Amino acid sequence: MAYEPDTAMGGAHHPFPTTRSSLIQSAAGTGAPASEALEAILAVYWKPAYKHVRIRWKRSNEGAKDLVQGFFTALIEQEILAGFDPSKGRFRTYLKACLDHFVMKQDESAKRFKRGGDLTPVFDFDAAERELAASPSVEDVFFREWQREMFSLGLRDLREYCQTNGKQLQLAVFEEYDLAEESQPSYAELAARHGIPVTTVTNYLAWARRELRRLVMARLSAVTSGDPECRAEGRALFGK
Amino acid sequence: MGFLPDRTLDHLREVTEAPDLSGTRYEVEEEIGRGGMGIVYRARDTQLDRAVALKVMDSRGVTAEEAKVLALLEHPGLVPVYDSGTLPDGRSYYAMRLVRGKRLDEFVAREASLPARLRVFEKICEAVAFAHDRGVIHCDLKPQNVMVGSFGEVFVMDWGVACVRGSGAAPGAGTPAYMAPEQAREGHQPVDCRADVFALGRILVDLMPPERPRPLAAISRKASATDPADRYTTVEQFAADVTRFLDGQPVTAYRESPLERLGRYYRRNQLLLLLLGVYFAVKLILFFLARH
C-alpha cells in the first residue's frame, strides 16, 4: 500500500481489514490490532476532519492542522473510542460530535489562557458568529469529505489491485470513462482507442465498478461497528 | 492521487450502486423505492417481455431471505416472487410482480371517506393475519409499506426484516413511529404477532380523521398498548373490532354510555326508524281525520 505522500497523518494501512465488527473495539484497545484498526480509522477520517475544521470552524491552515493532530492524539490517548456505543448511532456521527466537542474545548482553554484565569465569558460572540455563518453546505462538509475520502481510498486500492493483477487495460478503460473530468468518450471511441470490441469495454467497466464497490465496502467495514451500521453507511455512500 | 471532483464523485456513487445485471434476464429501467434491506427498481424481464419489480439487497452476503419468506406466503395481499439470484458483485436480488398503485399514505391523502379507508385496513389485516398463520411476523408495518391498487386491491410490501414467530427482530429493524416497545428494546427480544398488532394500531391512527370516533380511537389505543398483554392477542381479533365499528355494532375495546348506544342504534337503523316515524305519523293523521 502506497504511503500517503501529502500528509504525515494518513499513515500506512492495510487495504482489506477483515475483522469488521470488532475493528472499532480493537482500536479502543492496545497492541498491534489496535494500531491496525486506528490506522484504518485515521486513513478514512483525517481529511474529512481537517476540512471540517477548516470550513465549519473557520480555522487557518496551521490552526486546523494543530487541532486535527491534537484530536487524533486525544482519540488515541484519552480512550475516546471506548465511549462509542453502536446502539446509539453511527461511528461517523460519533466521531464528528467528538471532534466538535474537542474544538470547543480547545477554544475555551485558549480563552482562559489568554485572559489569565477562570473567567467565563458571559456572551459567546464566537458561537453566535458561527451560527450566523453556518449554512447547510457548511454542515455537510464532514459528510461530503467522508464520501470523497472513501472513494479516493477505494480508487487507490483499485489501482493497486489492477497493477498487481495485470488488469491495467481494465483500469485504463475505467479511468478514461468514469474518471473523465471533461466530456466522457463514447464506448466506441474507447474500443477504437484500445483496439478492443465495444462489448469488452462494457464488460471492463462493469468489472471495475464492481471491484471499486467491493473495495470501498471493505474500507467501510473497517470503520463501522457491524453489519447494520455498514449497510446504513453504504446507503449514505452509494447512490444518487 | 488527485482530488476527486464533486461531479466525478457523484458519478462514481451512482455507477457503483447501479446493479450489474449482465448475465441475467433483467434490464433496469428506474429506481422506484428503497426498502428495509435494499433498493427496488422497475426492470424488464427480457425473456417474458414484462415489467417486474427487482429488489437488490444492500450488501454482499445478505441472502434474499425476504424472497424466501414471500415465497412461503401465497395470498392475494402479498406480492408473488418470480425469481431470485445473485449479482456478479455478490449482492442478492429477487424479482416480483410490479405493483401499480399508491402507497397507503398517498391513498389516505386522497381518499377522504373513513369507511373506504377502513375497508382497506381490513384487507391489510387479512394479509398480515395470513402471514401470522404461517408463523411470519412482518416487524416493519407502516403506511409506506402498503400499496393500494386502483381497484382497491391491497399489497403488504417489504418483508425484508420479517422474522419467524418467537425469534428476535433484527437489531435496528423497523421504523420507530410504528415499532412496538418490545421490538425497540435492546437485546434482540423475541417478538410475536402483537408486535404487528401494535404497528397496525398506529396505522389505524393515521387513517382516522382529526375528530376521531371514540370507539375507533379506543380500538387503536388497545392495539398499540405499551404492554403486549393489553393488546389484542391476534390481528383477527383486532380486525373484527374494526369490522364491528364499520357495521355499527359495539366494539370490545370501548364501553359506551346509554346515550352513545342510542345514537349508534339510531345511525344503524335510520331507515327503519324513518319508516316507523312515517307509519305512526300517517296513523296519527288518519286517527284525527276519523274523529272529525
Side-chain angles (χ1 to χ4, degrees):
Chain A
M1 176 59 61
Y3 188 74
E4 177 77 3
D6 59 352
T7 177
M9 292 174 67
H13 53 274
H14 298 281
F16 312 124
T18 52
T19 47
R20 184 169 274 212
S21 63
S22 61
L23 259 169
I24 291 173
Q25 290 164 332
S26 298
T30 54
S35 303
E36 185 184 319
L38 273 169
E39 281 175 7
I41 292 167
L42 291 181
V44 171
Y45 283 108
W46 80 263
K47 269 187 189 169
Y50 174 74
K51 291 180 184 177
H52 177 72
V53 171
R54 282 276 282 145
I55 296 172
R56 170 72 177 82
W57 293 94
K58 296 191 167 108
R59 294 308 153 92
S60 67
N61 182 328
E62 288 305 314
K65 274 183 188 170
D66 288 346
L67 276 166
V68 171
Q69 288 272 14
F71 171 68
F72 282 114
T73 305
L75 192 76
I76 296 162
E77 292 175 355
Q78 295 175 16
E79 300 180 346
I80 290 174
L81 288 173
F84 171 60
D85 181 353
S87 68
K88 290 182 179 164
R90 300 179 188 187
F91 179 67
R92 172 166 53 88
T93 314
Y94 174 76
L95 201 69
K96 185 174 164 231
C98 289
L99 175 60
D100 286 338
H101 182 68
F102 180 83
V103 175
M104 277 191 285
K105 266 179 65 179
Q106 294 297 310
D107 282 357
E108 285 167 13
S109 303
K111 278 173 191 160
R112 272 202 295 274
F113 180 73
K114 275 181 189 172
R115 293 169 190 223
D118 295 330
L119 286 173
T120 305
V122 177
F123 302 110
D124 190 351
F125 292 111
D126 287 348
E129 190 63 28
R130 280 196 295 272
E131 283 172 21
L132 191 69
S135 68
S137 59
V138 170
E139 286 299 317
D140 283 342
V141 168
F142 191 84
F143 175 65
R144 187 66 173 163
E145 293 309 318
W146 167 75
Q147 288 182 328
R148 198 187 316 277
E149 200 55 20
M150 290 301 303
F151 271 94
S152 297
L153 291 169
L155 283 171
R156 186 205 288 179
D157 294 344
L158 179 66
R159 285 178 181 125
E160 189 176 280
Y161 180 80
C162 288
Q163 294 297 339
T164 54
N165 290 280
K167 304 273 188 186
Q168 287 88 347
L169 185 54
Q170 285 90 330
L171 180 66
V173 169
F174 167 74
E175 290 191 328
E176 286 166 34
Y177 189 81
D178 278 336
L179 303 187
E181 288 186 13
E182 301 300 323
S183 60
Q184 279 177 328
S186 68
Y187 281 20
E189 282 170 352
L190 277 175
R193 197 182 295 171
H194 292 286
I196 52 176
V198 172
T199 50
T200 306
V201 170
T202 311
N203 289 340
Y204 283 1
L205 279 176
W207 176 85
R209 290 166 180 174
R210 201 162 64 228
E211 282 303 302
L212 178 61
R213 182 185 171 91
R214 181 179 68 79
L215 294 165
V216 170
M217 284 302 286
R219 288 275 183 178
L220 189 59
S221 72
V223 290
T224 47
S225 60
D227 276 341
E229 188 188 351
C230 193
R231 273 202 304 274
E233 289 290 69
R235 285 184 172 206
L237 201 51
F238 299 104
K240 293 172 192 173
Chain B
M1 185 170 48
F3 178 75
L4 206 53
D6 280 349
R7 197 171 67 89
T8 310
L9 174 61
D10 287 336
H11 172 72
L12 288 176
R13 291 176 61 215
E14 196 176 333
V15 296
T16 48
E17 176 161 77
D20 173 10
L21 293 171
S22 54
T24 73
R25 57 200 277 183
Y26 305 104
E27 286 173 359
V28 164
E29 291 180 346
E30 66 167 330
E31 182 181 324
I32 54 175
R34 291 181 176 239
M37 305 287 274
I39 302 169
V40 185
Y41 299 91
R42 186 172 66 221
R44 179 144 296 277
D45 179 339
T46 54
Q47 276 184 20
L48 297 175
D49 192 27
R50 66 175 174 182
V52 297
L54 194 80
K55 183 160 186 177
V56 179
M57 309 319 260
D58 275 339
S59 56
R60 245 171 116 83
V62 175
T63 54
E65 286 300 323
E66 183 179 359
K68 291 180 187 170
V69 166
L70 274 171
L72 280 176
L73 305 173
E74 285 187 46
H75 185 275
L78 303 167
V79 185
V81 171
Y82 296 147
D83 180 26
S84 70
T86 307
L87 297 178
D89 66 6
R91 283 183 284 171
S92 298
Y93 72 88
Y94 68 92
M96 57 187 155
R97 183 201 290 176
L98 181 66
V99 174
R100 296 173 201 278
K102 292 184 180 68
R103 289 188 336 212
L104 183 62
D105 51 333
E106 295 165 346
F107 170 81
V108 169
R110 286 166 179 250
E111 178 55 65
S113 151
L114 180 61
R117 293 179 186 183
L118 294 181
R119 293 291 174 210
V120 164
F121 185 76
E122 285 177 316
K123 290 182 186 172
I124 300 169
C125 290
E126 280 173 23
V128 176
F130 175 82
H132 288 179
D133 188 56
R134 297 289 183 279
V136 178
I137 320 290
H138 188 288
C139 291
D140 193 19
L141 289 169
K142 57 184 173 182
Q144 292 78 7
N145 283 344
V146 176
M147 293 288 286
V148 184
S150 42
F151 298 102
E153 66 274 32
V154 171
F155 295 96
V156 179
M157 316 283 290
D158 204 349
W159 294 75
V161 296
C163 57
V164 177
R165 184 166 37 222
S167 67
T175 305
Y178 299 88
M179 198 191 296
E182 68 271 21
Q183 194 181 329
R185 262 178 232 127
E186 287 177 34
H188 212 56
Q189 298 282 322
V191 295
D192 60 22
C193 305
R194 291 171 297 180
D196 281 350
V197 168
F198 180 94
L200 286 168
R202 289 289 171 90
I203 291 174
L204 183 59
V205 172
D206 294 341
L207 302 186
M208 284 191 266
E211 288 177 10
R212 299 171 186 173
R214 283 183 188 176
L216 203 54
I219 292 173
S220 70
R221 265 200 307 279
K222 179 172 178 179
S224 47
T226 306
D227 185 348
D230 294 336
R231 294 177 208 151
Y232 294 98
T233 317
T234 64
V235 172
E236 286 98 328
Q237 289 176 8
F238 179 17
D241 238 4
V242 173
T243 303
R244 276 191 283 272
F245 172 79
L246 265 172
D247 294 345
Q249 293 174 351
V251 302
T252 63
Y254 183 67
R255 186 190 292 265
E256 57 191 0
S257 66
L259 199 65
E260 285 173 322
R261 194 175 306 153
L262 201 64
R264 183 172 52 73
Y265 185 81
Y266 168 73
R267 283 191 297 277
R268 195 180 165 204
N269 299 289
Q270 267 179 333
L271 185 63
L272 180 68
L273 291 172
L274 186 71
L275 288 173
L276 278 173
V278 171
Y279 173 76
F280 283 116
V282 170
K283 287 279 282 182
L284 203 65
I285 291 166
L286 290 174
F287 173 75
F288 280 112
L289 284 175
R291 287 196 61 175
H292 289 88

